[in-house]
Amino acid sequence: MKIAVMGGDGFIGWPTSLHLSDAGHDVHILDNLSRRWIDTELGVQSLTPMDSIQERTRIWHAETGRRIHFNLIDLAKDYELLKKWLSEHRPDAVIHFAEQRAAPYSMKSDRHKNYTVNNNVSATHNLLNALTELNLDAHLIHLGTMGVYGYSTVGAAIPEGYLPVGIETAAGETVSQEILYPSNPGSIYHMTKCLDQLLFQFYAKNDGLRITDLHQGIVWGTHTEQTRRHAQLINRFDYDGDYGTVLNRFLIQAAIGYPLTVHGTGGQTRAFIHIQDSVRCIELALKNPPARGARVEIFNQMTETHRVRDLAQMIAGISGADIAWLPNPRKEAAENELIVQNEKFRILGLEPITLEAGLLGEIVDVAKKFAYRVDRSRVPAVSAWTKDIAATINHDPEGKRLKSVS
């Protein structure tokens, strides 16, 4: 297939592009490279050294003989350019990663909130609008988040997108209906993903677009089969308090002798998936598109759940690292349960990679190799959900200020 990967320079987009190219597809990346500019804004860099997208694709061609094409297009701003590209290339499938993906970044300030809403919602709508205008029957796969469901404890498994309900009629009878699972976003970023869901529902119903929405858990891991092939194909790896995902951050902290930063009680239960499984799930979704006119297909793209404190204690046990218990910068429940249905991908043949010491060790090895690139001042999570919470944030988990005084 000819596949357009929107946001193909990013944390999930790049290994997905390699995986699909390796499988024989004609891959075209459309990206505005905003994630690289955000690194500059934050004064931080990927733990792993990243070449330009042009150099990355050149190395891939040299290693495999296959080309990945790059197009500098901003989906949120360059609507006519996007529509022109889609009209000329008419891809069979479009994979949409082109959104600002970090909850903490979306909550840093009013400017970051506006940017996240304007970028994410406009990018999604521009894409849907262009596909409809061009009458382009491409399968649209969107990378969403488990966070659309929220993290409250209801005592029942979260279904894959749709919830069967009984509604009492005026005549006193009960009729059955399936509704989109009630959204409960925990940040501006998560809210944009909830708005995406509504846009998808409308365009599938009104214009017959074929859409798959993947509600993904927290991604961990470094390598996929393809990124291992050459040092310059390595994926980006974020460790900072805004973009680093919790398990990867713990492993980097352990590797550099930084205390594992657990916020609040650590009783937050989250869903996880290894990066190799993430790209496999996208390929499985690609091979199993909904029919034209069908409702949006929704998968819960996760493989296991863990409490944050359990992960910290496991890694502390492996590495001997200390745990720092810090105030929580997020406005969320201190403790929650999380039961998630994920049968659809298992039925399609996914054999999940689960947390194992060997894979965790691989990440620690990568972290140690590139430890010289870590800016320790960027490790703490300091973006607060409210002004009141901001006053409680610990900016110095290592206690360096106290040590300097003593």
Side-chain angles (χ1 to χ4, degrees):
M1 289 191 284
K2 179 183 286 188
I3 302 171
V5 182
M6 313 301 190
D9 187 47
F11 176 52
I12 307 295
W14 175 245
T16 298
S17 298
L18 297 185
H19 184 84
L20 295 177
S21 177
D22 203 29
H25 300 291
D26 179 17
V27 175
H28 297 251
I29 290 175
L30 281 68
D31 202 303
N32 67 353
L33 306 182
S34 61
R35 184 63 191 88
R36 295 174 185 255
W37 286 106
I38 288 172
D39 273 351
T40 302
E41 174 205 345
L42 296 177
V44 72
Q45 61 184 350
S46 166
L47 176 74
T48 50
M50 284 171 52
D51 287 311
S52 69
I53 184 64
Q54 292 86 352
E55 179 67 4
R56 288 169 123 185
T57 55
R58 186 192 70 78
I59 292 293
W60 178 248
H61 179 250
E63 288 293 306
T64 67
R66 303 199 60 80
R67 290 196 182 277
I68 295 177
H69 309 274
F70 171 66
N71 306 269
L72 184 64
I73 297 178
D74 189 327
L75 265 67
K77 296 178 180 177
D78 300 334
Y79 175 72
E80 292 300 331
L81 192 58
L82 169 65
K83 189 167 72 168
K84 182 174 184 291
W85 188 92
L86 290 170
S87 176
E88 290 176 356
H89 292 272
R90 303 194 74 82
D92 303 297
V94 175
I95 303 176
H96 177 24
F97 300 115
E99 296 181 271
Q100 192 291 106
R101 68 170 178 84
Y105 184 85
S106 77
M107 302 298 290
K108 288 183 77 67
S109 70
D110 55 349
R111 179 176 67 82
H112 293 89
K113 292 175 182 178
N114 281 342
Y115 170 74
T116 301
V117 172
N118 293 339
N119 181 81
N120 292 7
V121 179
S122 293
T124 296
H125 187 258
N126 282 348
L127 181 54
L128 293 166
N129 199 13
L131 292 173
T132 300
E133 182 67 19
L134 296 170
N135 194 28
L136 179 55
D137 185 27
H139 177 201
L140 172 60
I141 298 172
H142 172 254
L143 192 68
T145 170
M146 288 292 301
V148 299
Y149 301 123
Y151 294 107
S152 57
T153 299
V154 297
I158 295 175
E160 300 201 74
Y162 298 97
L163 179 70
V165 298
I167 302 173
E168 187 174 340
T169 68
E173 300 174 346
T174 300
V175 295
S176 297
Q177 188 175 348
E178 281 199 320
I179 64 170
L180 198 63
Y181 193 90
S183 56
N184 185 22
S187 72
I188 292 294
Y189 157 73
H190 292 106
M191 185 188 70
T192 64
K193 295 294 190 175
C194 295
L195 296 174
D196 286 343
Q197 286 193 116
L198 296 178
L199 289 170
F200 296 145
Q201 296 291 321
F202 175 80
Y203 275 92
K205 175 187 69 174
N206 194 68
D207 299 291
L209 294 190
R210 296 184 296 134
I211 302 170
T212 298
D213 198 9
L214 306 175
H215 293 170
Q216 180 163 262
I218 296 170
V219 180
W220 64 282
T222 48
H223 287 298
T224 63
E225 180 184 336
Q226 290 74 32
T227 63
R228 286 189 181 94
R229 292 189 181 178
H230 191 283
Q232 288 175 271
L233 295 176
I234 195 165
N235 198 24
R236 73 172 298 122
F237 196 95
D238 300 304
Y239 65 86
D240 63 286
D242 285 321
Y243 275 89
T245 59
V246 61
L247 181 54
N248 280 359
R249 272 169 52 80
F250 283 166
L251 291 162
I252 288 173
Q253 288 168 346
I256 65 172
Y258 197 102
L260 310 183
T261 51
V262 177
H263 297 95
T265 66
Q268 308 94 333
T269 305
R270 296 292 185 261
F272 292 86
I273 185 169
H274 189 272
I275 194 165
Q276 180 71 69
D277 280 344
S278 183
V279 299
R280 286 174 180 154
C281 285
I282 290 161
E283 184 180 25
L284 287 171
L286 193 66
K287 292 178 178 178
N288 294 274
R292 191 166 177 88
R295 71 180 184 180
V296 177
E297 182 66 79
I298 298 175
F299 292 81
N300 288 338
Q301 188 163 302
M302 50 73 65
T303 54
E304 55 192 324
T305 61
H306 297 279
R307 286 192 188 276
V308 170
R309 62 172 172 253
D310 294 338
L311 292 176
Q313 288 162 355
M314 177 180 66
I315 292 164
I318 294 171
S319 66
D322 295 327
I323 298 176
W325 301 88
L326 306 177
N328 193 348
R330 303 189 182 211
K331 190 174 182 178
E332 62 183 357
E335 306 269 336
N336 74 283
E337 304 291 338
L338 187 63
I339 308 168
V340 184
Q341 293 180 1
N342 66 340
E343 287 80 9
K344 288 183 181 179
F345 275 129
R346 291 177 180 271
I347 290 170
L348 293 177
L350 179 68
E351 297 179 2
I353 297 169
T354 54
L355 287 172
E356 296 176 3
L359 287 169
L360 298 180
E362 174 189 281
I363 301 171
V364 172
D365 289 344
V366 170
K368 287 180 176 176
K369 179 179 179 181
F370 296 111
Y372 68 93
R373 292 172 55 85
V374 172
D375 179 349
R376 299 176 85 95
S377 70
R378 302 299 176 182
V379 173
V382 297
S383 295
W385 263 230
T386 69
K387 289 182 172 65
D388 290 340
I389 293 174
T392 71
I393 299 302
N394 185 333
H395 292 253
D396 185 26
E398 291 188 283
K400 285 190 172 182
R401 292 181 189 134
L402 289 174
K403 291 172 185 174
S404 66
V405 170
S406 61

